[in-house]
Amino acid sequence: MAQADPSGRGPVPVAVRLAGPAGSGRRRGRGPLRVLLAILLTALVVGGAVPYVAGPGRAYLSYLVLGERADAEGAGRAAEQTRAAGGQVVQEYPQIGVVLAYAAGGFAEKVRGRPGVAAVGATRTSPVPGPPRSVEGAGDFRARADGGDSGAGPATGDGGAGGDDTTATVPDPGERDAWNLALLGAADAAADTTPRSPRGPDAPGADALRRVLVAVLDSGVDDTHPDLRAAVDPRSSVSCADGRPDARTGSWRPDAGVGESGHGTHVAGIVGATRDGRGVSGVAPGVRIAAVRMLGPLGQYYAENIVCGMLWAADHGARAINNSYFADPWKYNCPDDADQAALTAAVGRAVGYARRQGAVVVASAGNDAQDLGAVRTDERSPNDRTTGPPQSRELGPDCVRLPGELPGVVTVTAVDRDGRPSAYTNHGRGRVSLAAPGGDPDGGTWGAVVSDWPGERYAALAGTSMAAAHVTGAVAVAAALHPDWDADRLAALLATAADAACPPGPHACGDHEYYGAGALVLPR
């Protein structure tokens, strides 16, 4: 939507939309039916050179099978029962006692209730020709990117340093008018180009921030972008686009053939873009970023991708894990549905594991202007269907967004340039944690958040995706200041600081329904 700049200030407005993976306006570069047909056709022609192996005239669904024990023994029993029921184990998650399996229809009913199995859930509703094709080295959570010291080489997977060309880009902002950083208590970004943030006598230096690793679980990150070349750590980056860790060089970069693939680069820039007087500056410039590509070839963030990314980030020492998306295919997962309950449990195990390993898990609240604690309607699920309309579901407060509404997750709402709740932001007393700059899509570039975009470009987006990225950057600053603190203590520091800075009152930043503990301020 093209909008006039209401202030008459700033750059010439361009079309600004809500950020995709967390937003009600998520767009696909290719429809699921079109993509599935293309995959099937390609499978007939070139066999294994496709994301999924063509089965013998069968249609497969992917499943997460949860062992009764949330450990390696539990994963082993789940794998044993999966094979006995005719399923193919594609990946084991021994950290949490879960396996990823592919099987034909009816598999879940065969496995549920078997000894050692706690739950089984289909992670998709539209079948694929077969399990993902074999990739040498995929599946090892201990693996590191080939070469180790450089992420600038050519990608060897199906990704590149491209981005979604349907998003309008803006000129290099030169780190000017960084209203989003100013709203956090940072000084004018144009006044200082020293490589540290936030500015001030108590700010951590570049060396302290460099010792902190944060993970951006998203559509991929273009580490060839000038703002991000020094930030992305190839040794800690990976693709989890099919639920298996693939650490080949460049696997973490966005796939230009998938819609909204630039989203992760935009989020990463907000977290930790280099301060050098060009482009944009991140909340925590100097921090190391683990780029974890989760957006698969069908344009979805399935539960197995989330589990894989969360475990990878935790095992590689991330102090914060950013999740600016919701899990597909169900926008909300309900406990009275056996599949959705299993997905909630599996992702919940992964979140719990990450927190125990010392990571603050940060997630966007969503862009549907809904009260997460009230009865609401979901008219978009399942969003991976190939035929027919979506279901219209009346949801209670026990139906949750994954991972944003899981226990222990720091769930972030969005505010505009004036610090007021953005019109689109989800909210809910007791359901959200903090508020942070997300911008206004109706305010042109002046009202949106400008950050990096693949191909050495910049884009203006608005959404709770952007808000979550600010909180992740603030966690990095807190971790640099307090390297020995655990995840709960780091999260509590941000909540306490936000609460202290916010007066009570309706729609003021002390309004817990929209702000949680309050509006984010950078820790000192």
Side-chain angles (χ1 to χ4, degrees):
M1 64 190 85
Q3 301 290 341
D5 183 348
S7 67
R9 293 173 287 177
V12 176
V14 298
V16 175
R17 59 182 173 85
L18 289 178
S24 59
R26 184 196 294 189
R27 298 184 298 179
R28 305 290 181 207
R30 303 174 293 186
L33 178 58
R34 178 182 174 189
V35 174
L36 183 58
L37 291 175
I39 289 174
L40 288 167
L41 180 61
T42 307
L44 294 175
V45 178
V46 297
V50 292
Y52 297 94
V53 176
R58 304 174 69 187
Y60 290 77
L61 292 178
S62 49
Y63 298 86
L64 288 177
V65 184
L66 287 69
E68 290 180 347
R69 294 175 56 102
D71 56 18
E73 182 179 334
R77 287 299 302 275
E80 177 184 323
Q81 295 291 8
T82 293
R83 297 186 180 100
Q88 179 176 332
V89 176
V90 171
Q91 180 66 45
E92 293 192 21
Y93 307 112
Q95 303 95 321
I96 59 171
V98 177
V99 301
L100 168 63
Y102 276 72
F107 170 79
E109 291 74 14
K110 294 178 184 177
V111 180
R112 287 187 184 123
R114 289 196 174 198
V117 174
V120 183
T123 70
R124 64 183 73 214
T125 66
S126 293
V128 293
R133 63 184 175 87
S134 177
V135 174
E136 184 177 355
D140 186 357
F141 282 96
R142 300 165 300 174
R144 298 189 298 183
D146 296 337
D149 58 355
S150 174
T156 57
D158 60 350
D164 178 7
D165 286 332
T166 65
T167 297
T169 55
V170 300
D172 183 338
E175 296 185 355
R176 295 183 299 274
D177 192 28
W179 66 267
N180 50 314
L181 297 185
L183 208 59
L184 306 184
D188 182 3
D192 186 358
T193 59
T194 55
R196 60 187 182 86
S197 177
R199 288 158 295 283
D202 299 324
D207 289 343
L209 280 167
R210 195 64 187 166
R211 289 191 288 271
V212 176
L213 178 72
V214 300
V216 173
L217 276 55
D218 213 291
S219 62
V221 177
D222 178 9
D223 58 340
T224 69
H225 194 290
D227 278 349
L228 295 170
R229 285 172 187 159
V232 174
D233 179 5
R235 290 180 175 268
S236 303
S237 298
V238 74
S239 170
C240 280
D242 62 12
R244 302 172 297 176
D246 173 9
R248 293 175 298 163
T249 297
S251 63
W252 53 83
R253 294 181 186 138
D255 181 349
V258 180
E260 300 200 358
S261 60
H263 184 272
T265 302
H266 195 277
V267 167
I270 295 170
V271 173
T274 300
R275 175 172 301 128
D276 56 7
R278 297 173 296 175
V280 298
S281 175
V283 176
V287 72
R288 288 183 299 122
I289 294 175
V292 181
R293 181 163 75 92
M294 307 238 295
L295 190 62
L298 299 184
Q300 304 283 347
Y301 293 81
Y302 287 119
E304 62 265 30
N305 304 20
I306 302 172
V307 169
C308 171
M310 202 76 67
L311 299 182
W312 174 275
D315 283 350
H316 285 74
R319 302 308 315 277
I321 302 176
N322 191 88
N323 303 271
S324 290
Y325 58 87
F326 62 86
D328 297 306
W330 304 100
K331 190 157 195 180
Y332 296 93
N333 289 264
C334 300
D336 58 357
D337 181 285
D339 288 314
Q340 294 169 39
L343 304 187
T344 300
V347 177
R349 287 189 186 186
V351 167
Y353 178 82
R355 293 180 63 228
R356 291 191 298 274
Q357 296 298 108
V360 178
V361 180
V362 180
S364 54
N367 303 339
D368 298 302
Q370 292 182 333
D371 182 346
L372 299 175
V375 174
R376 57 201 183 281
T377 302
D378 174 17
E379 296 183 343
R380 297 184 55 206
S381 301
N383 61 14
D384 68 340
R385 66 194 180 281
T386 57
T387 60
Q391 300 179 17
S392 180
R393 305 189 298 162
E394 290 295 321
L395 308 176
D398 55 348
C399 298
V400 298
R401 282 172 54 98
L402 297 178
E405 290 188 82
L406 292 171
V409 174
V410 177
T411 305
V412 187
T413 65
V415 296
D416 62 20
R417 188 173 182 133
D418 295 322
R420 295 189 295 262
S422 300
Y424 54 80
T425 189
N426 285 350
H427 50 92
R429 184 176 293 271
R431 308 304 283 260
V432 298
S433 308
L434 289 168
D440 176 8
D442 295 333
T445 56
W446 183 83
V449 178
V450 176
S451 186
D452 301 319
W453 199 251
E456 300 189 13
R457 295 177 292 171
Y458 305 90
L461 298 179
T464 57
S465 289
M466 288 64 254
H470 287 86
V471 172
T472 296
V475 174
V477 172
L481 292 169
H482 308 285
D484 298 329
W485 286 15
D486 64 13
D488 289 342
R489 197 172 180 187
L490 291 174
L493 174 65
L494 298 189
T496 300
D499 179 69
C502 285
H507 296 284
C509 65
D511 182 346
H512 298 306
E513 181 177 354
Y514 284 89
Y515 291 85
L520 177 69
V521 295
L522 286 175
R524 295 290 191 263

